[in-house]
């Protein structure tokens, strides 16, 4: 029976006449080389030797390798024709399976909606704890002794342990006696205690957190730091429906930079499959965001800067200096995000899509990680947990790499999958 499959045009299959000639010459050299395997070798050994020689030759010829890579790249994602070749009755059943898959996605969407309702319910229960955290950070209250009953690494190090700990403490005490007198030591400790008494709350709490988290540290500039020292609290306010979403609220004490006391960033989410690509649904996703205006005081707006440029008059040839206002890198640009297209069918330009994707990632991270675990990002403990999680994920990705490649390979045909050889009876 004649082969009825369509063949690609001849010009797409040929890399170039020079590359083809070079390849032919290279293959002749390889076949003639002693690396093809000595006489008496099995066909498998000879084939393996030839493959190794070809790979070596390709590595020595970058031009040919690049040409072959380009040709293979053009074939990536092309259908193998397996699905198209199936009988109509099988294709009909596949349609039924896809409809079932869509029903599963709709049920999954309802699941995420109920999870969001539960999240909103527990947000109210968390609120008193977050308020007490804010009061301690801002020195509105002083925690009681019972509030502070929590083990710390510093106390364990100071207390030592066993004979080694006792010996270390003894050496430290001897060293202190030889360096300063007891009177001088008492005076210094008294001064430190007085200085400590003047410290209110937890200085630089949120600024330290932002500088500890890599994706936020990239946003914070040196001129932002004095302003962020006035940041007292960050809250998440959930919107249950119409539409589903959340708002990040940044509370500032009165300061010399702007008169606004609360800056907000609102995120709108979608929890159902899109009409155009329903099978791409993987759970709720952020689709839009909206910032707020900041009432900057005169000369304090760090999101803009003035630059001086020379302007030349076309007719007279004279030059003059002009001052222009341009955007300046700042954390506070976070509150002026680019606008997403109103119509979902419209596509934003590549730069806007990149900025929005980064913005959505930052907003989600602040909501999911930073606000609930603020003190652990302040101390750095949460950063260690994040690093461990990423390392474990990388190891799993390496192990699953081969399976993923096979699963997403458009040319994979299960009917052509080789079967394992049967064990030979001894």
């Amino acid at each position: 029976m004649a082969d009825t499959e369509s063949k690609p045009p001849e010009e797409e299959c040929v890399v170039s006449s020079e590359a083809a000639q070079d390849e032919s010459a290279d293959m002749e050299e390889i076949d003639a080389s002693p690396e093809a395997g000595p006489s008496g070798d099995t066909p498998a050994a000879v084939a393996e030797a030839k493959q190794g020689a070809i790979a070596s030759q390709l590595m020595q010829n970058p031009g040919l390798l690049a040409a072959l890579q380009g040709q293979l790249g053009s074939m990536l994602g092309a259908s193998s024709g397996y699905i198209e070749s199936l009988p109509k009755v099988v294709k009909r059943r596949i349609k039924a399976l896809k409809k079932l898959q869509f029903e599963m996605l709709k049920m999954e969407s309802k699941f995420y909606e109920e999870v969001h309702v539960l999240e909103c319910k527990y947000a109210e229960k968390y609120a008193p704890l977050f308020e007490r955290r804010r009061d301690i950070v801002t020195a509105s209250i002083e925690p009681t002794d019972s509030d502070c009953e929590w083990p710390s690494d510093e106390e364990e190090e100071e207390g030592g342990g066993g004979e080694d700990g006792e010996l270390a403490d003894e050496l430290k005490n001897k060293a202190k006696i030889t360096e300063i007198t007891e009177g001088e030591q008492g005076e210094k400790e008294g001064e430190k205690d007085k200085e400590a008494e003047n410290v209110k709350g937890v200085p630089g709490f949120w600024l330290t957190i932002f500088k500890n988290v890599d994706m936020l540290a990239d946003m914070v500039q040196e001129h932002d730091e004095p302003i962020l020292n006035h940041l007292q609290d960050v809250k998440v306010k959930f919107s249950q429906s119409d539409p589903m979403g959340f708002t990040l609220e940044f509370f500032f004490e009165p300061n010399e930079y702007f008169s606004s006391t609360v800056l907000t960033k609102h995120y709108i989410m979608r929890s159902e499959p899109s009409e155009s690509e329903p099978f791409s649904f993987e759970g709720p996703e952020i689709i839009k965001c909206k910032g707020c205006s900041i009432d900057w005081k005169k000369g304090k707006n760090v999101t803009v800067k003035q630059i001086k440029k020379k302007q030349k008059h076309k007719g007279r040839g004279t030059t003059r200096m002009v001052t222009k206002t341009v955007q300046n890198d700042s954390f506070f640009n976070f509150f002026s995000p680019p606008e997403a297209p109103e119509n979902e069918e419209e596509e934003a330009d590549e730069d806007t899509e990149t900025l929005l994707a980064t913005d959505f990632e930052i907003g989600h991270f602040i909501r999911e990680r930073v606000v609930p675990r603020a003190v652990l990002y302040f101390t750095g403990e949460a950063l260690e947990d994040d690093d461990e999680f990423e390392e474990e994920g990388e190891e799993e990705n390496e192990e699953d790499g081969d399976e993923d490649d096979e699963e997403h390979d458009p040319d994979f045909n299960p009917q052509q999958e080789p079967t394992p050889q049967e064990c030979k009876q001894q």
Side-chain angles (χ1 to χ4, degrees):
M1 183 176 178
D3 186 5
T4 57
E5 290 189 3
S6 59
K7 296 183 178 179
E10 184 178 354
E11 59 271 12
E12 294 182 4
C13 296
V14 179
V15 178
S16 68
S17 59
E18 293 181 3
Q21 291 173 2
D22 291 343
E23 183 180 3
S24 176
D26 292 337
M27 297 311 166
E28 289 176 1
E29 291 178 7
I30 293 167
D31 291 339
S33 67
E35 294 179 8
S39 59
D41 285 350
T42 62
V46 173
E48 186 177 353
K50 282 188 177 183
Q51 289 176 357
I54 292 172
S56 176
Q57 193 70 28
L58 287 174
M59 294 303 295
Q60 295 175 11
N61 191 336
L64 178 59
L65 181 60
L68 289 174
Q69 287 176 336
Q71 187 68 17
L72 290 173
S74 65
M75 297 168 63
L76 186 63
S79 173
S80 64
Y82 170 67
I83 300 298
E84 292 80 356
S85 66
L86 293 172
K88 288 184 178 180
V89 65
V90 178
K91 290 181 179 178
R92 183 171 176 272
R93 292 167 191 151
I94 291 175
K95 286 185 176 181
L97 293 176
K98 285 188 175 182
K99 188 173 181 180
L100 283 173
Q101 184 66 40
F102 183 65
E103 293 299 321
M104 294 177 194
L105 290 176
K106 289 197 293 184
M107 190 173 295
E108 186 179 356
S109 172
K110 295 295 182 183
F111 164 78
Y112 285 119
E113 287 178 5
E114 291 189 18
V115 169
H116 186 70
V117 171
L118 192 62
E119 194 172 27
C120 294
K121 174 185 175 181
Y122 272 84
E124 297 178 1
K125 296 179 180 293
Y126 280 122
L129 300 176
F130 288 147
E131 288 174 5
R132 187 162 180 82
R133 180 180 71 184
R134 177 205 60 201
D135 291 343
I136 292 174
V137 168
T138 59
S140 298
I141 62 171
E142 186 65 30
T144 63
D145 290 340
S146 61
D147 290 337
C148 301
E149 289 178 356
W150 190 261
S152 66
D153 294 338
E154 290 180 2
E155 290 173 356
E156 292 175 3
E157 289 175 3
E158 289 174 2
E163 294 180 0
D164 292 340
E166 292 175 2
L167 179 60
D169 291 340
E170 186 178 348
L171 291 173
K172 286 180 183 178
N173 291 333
K174 288 181 179 179
K176 287 179 181 178
I177 293 171
T178 56
E179 287 177 4
I180 55 176
T181 64
E182 291 182 1
E184 291 174 346
Q185 182 179 353
E187 290 177 4
K188 289 187 177 182
E189 287 180 355
E191 292 175 1
K192 288 181 180 180
D193 290 340
K194 288 181 181 179
E195 291 176 2
E197 288 176 2
N198 295 328
V199 176
K200 304 296 182 182
V202 184
F205 183 75
W206 289 102
L207 173 59
T208 302
I209 292 171
F210 290 175
K211 293 178 73 174
N212 281 345
V213 178
D214 287 342
M215 70 170 67
L216 300 179
D218 293 338
M219 300 165 57
V220 177
Q221 308 299 315
E222 188 175 349
H223 48 254
D224 294 323
E225 295 186 16
I227 310 175
L228 290 173
N229 271 323
H230 295 286
L231 179 60
Q232 295 184 309
D233 198 17
V234 180
K235 291 183 178 180
V236 181
K237 185 178 180 181
F238 292 95
S239 305
Q240 187 164 325
S241 59
D242 298 328
M244 176 192 292
F246 63 94
T247 302
L248 300 177
E249 299 178 329
F250 297 75
F251 293 83
F252 289 82
E253 65 182 353
N255 59 80
E256 60 182 292
Y257 299 94
F258 47 72
S259 55
S260 310
T261 56
V262 183
L263 303 182
T264 60
K265 186 73 172 286
H266 181 60
Y267 289 90
I268 299 173
M269 303 177 69
R270 178 176 61 198
S271 65
E272 66 277 351
S274 67
E275 295 180 1
S276 57
E277 296 181 355
F279 296 126
S280 64
F281 179 71
E282 294 182 354
E285 60 177 341
I286 299 172
I287 56 173
K288 291 180 183 178
C289 63
K290 182 180 180 182
C292 68
S293 60
I294 303 176
D295 298 325
W296 293 99
K297 294 181 180 179
K298 188 176 180 180
K300 298 295 184 178
N301 189 349
V302 295
T303 64
V304 295
K305 62 181 179 180
Q306 292 185 336
I307 59 172
K308 292 183 178 181
K309 296 184 71 176
K310 286 184 179 180
Q311 258 189 3
K312 188 175 182 180
H313 195 278
K314 293 182 179 179
R316 301 174 185 173
T318 56
T319 59
R320 64 173 182 175
M321 296 296 293
V322 294
T323 303
K324 288 188 175 182
T325 301
V326 297
Q327 187 175 3
N328 191 27
D329 291 337
S330 170
F331 170 82
F332 293 92
N333 290 328
F334 179 67
F335 300 97
S336 302
E339 293 185 4
E342 290 294 330
N343 190 347
E344 291 186 12
E345 296 180 358
E346 297 179 11
E347 291 186 1
D349 60 81
E350 187 175 349
D351 291 341
T352 301
E353 285 186 353
T354 301
L355 289 172
L356 285 172
T358 303
D359 190 294
F360 295 167
E361 183 182 1
I362 292 170
H364 179 75
F365 191 82
I366 293 175
R367 166 200 162 177
E368 287 288 319
R369 305 285 297 175
V370 174
V371 172
R373 298 170 175 81
V375 67
L376 301 181
Y377 281 100
F378 177 80
T379 61
E381 294 167 84
L383 301 173
E384 295 173 3
D385 293 340
D386 289 345
D387 291 341
E388 289 176 4
F389 179 78
E390 288 176 4
E391 288 175 4
E392 290 176 2
E394 289 173 1
E395 290 176 1
E396 290 176 2
N397 290 338
E398 289 176 2
E399 293 174 0
D400 298 340
D402 295 338
E403 295 178 6
D404 291 343
D405 292 342
E406 183 179 273
E407 179 183 350
H408 298 291
D409 183 2
D411 293 331
F412 174 64
N413 186 338
Q415 294 180 353
Q416 297 176 358
E417 181 72 2
T419 57
Q421 296 182 357
E422 296 181 359
C423 296
K424 295 181 180 181
Q425 299 291 335
Q426 296 295 333

